[in-house]
Amino acid sequence: MSLSRPAEGYGPRPAEGYGPRRGLVPPPLSLMDAEGNFDMRGGLAVKAPPPCTEVAKALCAWLAAIPGVGHARLGGPPSGGEARIELRLGLAPTAGEEAYSIMLAPGGALIEAATTKGLARGAATLWQLALSEGSVIAACRIEDSPRFPWRGFMLDTARHFFPVETIERFLDLAALHRLSVFHWHLTDDQAWRIDLPSLPELAQAGSRRLDMRYNVPVWKAGSYSPLDVRRVVAFASARGIEVVPEIETPGHVTALLASHPELSCLGASAPGEGAPRFEPADSYGVFEDILCAGNDKVFELLEKAFGDLARIFPAAFVHAGGDEAPKTRWMACPRCAGRMRELGLAEDDHEGLQAWFMAKVAAILERHGKRMVGWDEILDSEGWIPPSAVVMSWRGYSGGERAARRGHGVVMCPQTAACYLDHKHLDRIEEPGQLGVCTVRDSWSFEAVPAGLGGEAAARVMGGQGNLWSELVYFGKQAEYMAFPRLCALSEALWVPAQGRDFGDFKERLAVHLGRLAALGVNHYRGPLE
Ligand code: ACM
Ligand code: ZN
């Protein structure tokens, strides 16, 4: 993933008739009208030699579902009134990994990019045009490229399980908004959702919990097999989306401790006396039992777990958590105290112990060819975390600012500003959500590079993401309500240059874009935007 940025600024002003820039969200850098129409009413023949074929298949699936198109097929010259679309790696690499151009003309359509990711962005823009304009699209030329490479969406599949079909639907919707990363939160106190070949007991004991909040207790269960993961990764890849898995350490591990209670401080410091018992948690919050930093067996397990994860997921990044790890148990644990003495840490420097812990995880991941991503707590102590680690700033901007100044790549997703999709859309009793309010305008106003950051440090901001925690989100349609249209707004905040953004312009385009979401049956929030 490169950190290159396009020159700031917009191209020509909107085409008429479909709202500014045809209602595209995010708007492309440049859109110019051309003569005539691109007419898909006779069906489509899509030419896409390898390696463009997978993106072309996704495009065929999207366009075949547009009313009036009838069919979209891959390969062969057009016949019997079919329109032609060609996907080609025709742009120079200097254009940028995700840059693309689209030429839509009466004689056919051409999408060009330097990479298949760029083609996926172009295909998504064509899909947006077809969703709003139908099977006959006014001709135009589009040139486009994003501001940030990391434009992410996080789904918490631990608090509640979402089937692969729901994840695929979200990947389609993420692709529609030209997002680039799916951050898959796989483990937490309430569940361990990934079947690891080396450690099957983790999901066996950790993926089921008895939900006691109903008059009749209900079993909630579900985990993803390596086959499920391969399916999700392939689906995402065809849409130009990287899948970044997350296994939480050293905290948020109650579901892990269900099969390995001996790895808690209580278990580790009382060997032979019977370890405590843990069940996946049936309540939410921050839990005191975390992985014991003084027990070498913890790192033996993490070596296996992250090794498996690295083999199953092809992306360069793996998220290792690091947030909300209370030090209560570490403070009372003789093994943790021994470790701190061994490391030369002051006896109250438990943040230093956490930084050492996360640095060990980073080293495990590096051995498996991956870069660690961690929540901003990983930098609460200096001197351990390698500069290759990427910091995800969630407790506001300050953790990300500090990380960028220290040389780390940064993904901004401040809970306080704009990026928490589990918050309410409005401060109203009837709105679902938790912990705060984040309006669509808040998300649209998100600026990933804080004002105090400049130069090289600012360039280390790789982008940002929307995080959908699922404590109160039980199924896919509810997840859609929480995500949209805030994710549309965030996609725009991460795509377009900082200059020239205008909320009035966004609102006009969003009015068109909500029609697209409606056409796709998305259960989006419909209330005031601010
Ligand atoms: C977080 O919201 N605990 C990263
Ligand atoms: Zn301990």
Side-chain angles (χ1 to χ4, degrees):
M1 187 172 283
S2 74
L3 284 171
S4 62
R5 306 250 184 93
E8 302 277 297
Y10 279 127
R13 286 297 296 175
E16 293 200 349
Y18 302 98
R21 294 184 207 87
R22 315 273 275 265
L24 291 167
V25 175
L29 285 179
S30 143
L31 189 158
M32 274 172 285
D33 284 331
E35 281 298 309
N37 295 313
F38 175 62
D39 189 337
M40 303 186 285
R41 286 175 297 182
L44 288 167
V46 179
K47 180 179 173 192
C52 314
T53 320
E54 294 308 309
V55 175
K57 281 185 197 160
L59 179 63
C60 284
W62 294 337
L63 295 183
I66 300 293
V69 171
H71 71 272
R73 66 179 179 85
L74 201 57
S79 65
E82 287 175 328
R84 174 197 181 95
I85 300 178
E86 184 174 350
L87 269 57
R88 194 196 288 164
L89 293 182
L91 295 191
T94 47
E97 191 183 25
E98 295 181 89
Y100 68 90
S101 69
I102 301 177
M103 182 85 84
L104 273 187
L110 173 65
I111 303 177
E112 288 189 291
T115 69
T116 54
K117 268 191 196 171
L119 288 177
R121 307 299 170 245
T125 294
L126 178 53
W127 185 24
Q128 283 206 12
L129 289 173
L131 281 168
S132 51
E133 296 176 27
S135 53
V136 181
I137 306 175
C140 61
R141 179 170 175 82
I142 292 173
E143 283 171 16
D144 201 8
S145 132
R147 179 179 174 200
F148 294 107
W150 189 299
R151 304 177 309 282
F153 167 63
M154 189 216 79
L155 183 62
D156 170 7
T157 61
R159 272 53 177 265
H160 283 96
F161 179 75
F162 298 91
V164 167
E165 290 74 11
T166 303
I167 293 176
E168 288 183 341
R169 178 162 167 84
F170 264 90
L171 287 169
D172 256 341
L173 293 171
L176 180 71
H177 296 89
R178 311 204 283 283
L179 297 182
S180 59
V181 174
F182 170 49
H183 168 180
W184 194 351
H185 188 77
L186 284 164
T187 72
D188 216 299
D189 296 297
Q190 294 73 17
W192 182 281
R193 298 286 187 206
I194 175 89
D195 304 342
L196 296 178
S198 306
L199 298 159
E201 70 277 17
L202 289 175
Q204 277 160 14
S207 65
R208 266 161 69 84
R209 77 174 193 272
L210 198 55
D211 194 326
M212 301 292 284
R213 286 168 300 156
Y214 305 89
N215 286 335
V216 180
V218 178
W219 278 104
K220 294 269 179 75
S223 62
Y224 304 100
S225 69
L227 216 60
D228 291 333
V229 171
R230 271 200 284 282
R231 181 172 149 190
V232 167
V233 165
F235 194 91
S237 167
R239 286 149 184 80
I241 295 174
E242 306 255 5
V243 182
V244 176
E246 180 185 2
I247 285 183
E248 279 270 19
T249 62
H252 286 297
V253 290
T254 311
L256 181 162
L257 296 175
S259 56
H260 286 279
E262 76 284 2
L263 301 183
S264 70
C265 288
L266 296 182
S269 55
E273 292 169 24
R277 289 173 59 81
F278 295 95
E279 294 286 335
D282 182 38
S283 59
Y284 302 113
V286 173
F287 293 74
E288 287 188 337
D289 285 291
I290 69 174
L291 295 171
C292 177
N295 185 349
D296 290 338
K297 296 228 172 315
V298 165
F299 300 100
E300 286 168 25
L301 178 127
L302 294 180
E303 172 72 46
K304 285 188 193 166
F306 283 111
D308 276 1
L309 211 63
R311 280 184 284 277
I312 300 172
F313 287 89
F317 299 94
V318 169
H319 202 307
D323 61 320
E324 298 182 315
K327 306 300 178 310
T328 332
R329 298 285 190 242
W330 284 7
M331 288 176 189
C333 172
R335 286 202 194 197
C336 285
R339 179 77 76 196
M340 290 170 75
R341 277 194 301 279
E342 182 188 307
L343 296 170
L345 291 170
E347 62 182 35
D348 60 350
D349 188 8
H350 295 94
E351 295 308 331
L353 186 59
Q354 162 143 358
W356 170 83
F357 188 111
M358 298 308 297
K360 260 185 97 67
V361 175
I364 291 173
L365 285 169
E366 210 160 288
R367 277 201 297 285
H368 291 280
K370 305 290 186 186
R371 279 175 74 183
M372 185 180 80
V373 183
W375 299 109
D376 59 55
E377 284 94 329
I378 67 171
L379 277 199
D380 279 354
S381 175
E382 290 191 34
W384 294 100
I385 304 294
S388 60
V390 169
V391 172
M392 213 168 244
S393 191
W394 74 279
R395 297 176 300 176
Y397 284 97
S398 59
E401 281 193 65
R402 192 155 23 106
R405 289 209 173 88
R406 285 200 216 159
H408 295 273
V410 169
V411 176
M412 287 288 187
C413 49
Q415 175 181 30
T416 43
C419 298
Y420 269 45
L421 304 173
D422 56 332
H423 287 193
K424 286 168 175 266
H425 283 277
L426 277 187
D427 192 5
R428 297 220 177 120
I429 190 79
E430 68 274 17
E431 272 301 325
Q434 61 167 356
L435 299 175
V437 175
C438 170
T439 65
V440 175
R441 185 169 191 153
D442 291 336
S443 293
W444 181 86
S445 306
F446 175 55
E447 170 48 52
V449 180
L453 214 55
E456 279 182 20
R460 291 193 191 103
V461 177
M462 299 158 71
Q465 64 179 37
N467 295 336
L468 183 45
W469 301 101
S470 66
E471 286 93 334
L472 302 181
V473 181
Y474 306 89
F475 50 87
K477 283 288 167 208
Q478 213 182 355
E480 288 177 14
Y481 182 90
M482 300 310 290
F484 297 102
R486 288 186 289 206
L487 201 53
C488 315
L490 274 177
S491 75
E492 178 147 328
L494 293 165
W495 185 277
V496 303
Q499 281 85 32
R501 297 184 61 211
D502 176 76
F503 190 63
D505 169 73
F506 170 69
K507 279 202 290 194
E508 276 186 65
R509 280 180 293 100
L510 186 65
V512 177
H513 190 66
L514 292 181
R516 295 184 185 113
L517 297 187
L520 293 170
V522 176
N523 177 36
H524 65 84
Y525 163 81
R526 289 168 166 77
L529 302 181
E530 51 186 320

